[in-house]
Amino acid sequence: GAGVSQSPRYKVTKRGQDVALRCDPISGHVSLYWYRQALGQGPEFLTYFNYEAQQDKSGLPNDRFSAERPEGSISTLTIQRTEQRDSAMYRCASSLAQASYEQYFGPGTRLTVT
Amino acid sequence: LAKTTQPISMDSYEGQEVNITCSHNNIATNDYITWYQQFPSQGPRFIIQGYKTKVTNEVASLFIPADRKSSTLSLPRVSLSDTAVYYCLVGDNNNNDMRFGAGTRLTVKP
């Protein structure tokens, strides 16, 4: 079956612009997670949802970052007024069970802020 | 305070068994031990999860001693394609606090 998909796969934007990253989880998966991964490091947790409810946003770096999952399926991570330090791979994952450690990851969106 | 400690890197040769040990001295009663594999340019992939003793699947085995303060991921007869970063995570399977560390970079040589 179809796995987790993310779009765009690559995004280059100028400093100060807003970007929206999309995640389409595996059908029927209850929970959806966002991570950020720098080169050579493990994924860093940002936030997650059970259905449409955002459960934990403690990992969001600052208030320029926000996420939503309005219908409990597709999610969007938005970064406002991007800065060069936001450049990273942004990964989305989903799980069948709520808040599960068995997560399935998408291919990621490589964000470059120039 | 890091929840897990694992070697930064390991080298092996094709056909050998590889054992990667993870220390988690402060593991809680409700915590499970989960391992992920990540190939370059791909997202992490769930390998195996266990609570105690031994768990085996088609990819790996996970050995957990009685005190649960450590665990060992065992990969039988590795091939070049097993070259990847392996992450050990510890946490409550019903309360998402999944935090990846730096992982163990395994390099399999011919």
Side-chain angles (χ1 to χ4, degrees), chain B residues 3-101:
Chain B
K3 296 183 77 171
T4 63
T5 303
Q6 52 183 124
I8 294 174
S9 64
M10 293 180 68
D11 289 343
S12 183
Y13 291 92
E14 283 189 290
Q16 290 188 334
E17 178 184 77
V18 170
N19 296 308
I20 306 174
T21 297
C22 179
S23 298
H24 27 82
N25 292 318
N26 298 318
I27 191 168
T29 303
N30 292 336
D31 286 348
Y32 280 72
I33 300 152
T34 309
W35 284 81
Y36 278 80
Q37 173 191 57
Q38 185 173 23
F39 298 115
S41 303
Q42 294 186 26
R45 180 176 78 115
F46 173 89
I47 301 177
I48 198 166
Q49 183 181 79
Y51 184 81
K52 61 180 180 180
T53 62
K54 177 184 175 182
V55 180
T56 298
N57 62 22
E58 65 279 3
V59 176
S61 294
L62 179 59
F63 297 91
I64 306 168
D67 67 4
R68 306 202 322 124
K69 293 183 183 300
S70 66
S71 58
T72 299
L73 176 73
S74 181
L75 305 172
R77 297 178 299 282
V78 294
S79 64
L80 297 176
S81 62
D82 291 315
T83 293
V85 178
Y86 292 82
Y87 297 97
C88 166
L89 297 98
V90 165
D92 186 341
N93 210 20
N94 295 310
N95 179 25
N96 184 73
D97 58 353
M98 197 159 97
R99 304 293 188 262
F100 288 81

Side-chain angles (χ1 to χ4, degrees), chain A residues 24 43 49 54 60 67 70 100:
Chain A
D24 199 342
F49 296 83
Q54 192 168 16
L60 295 176
S100 172

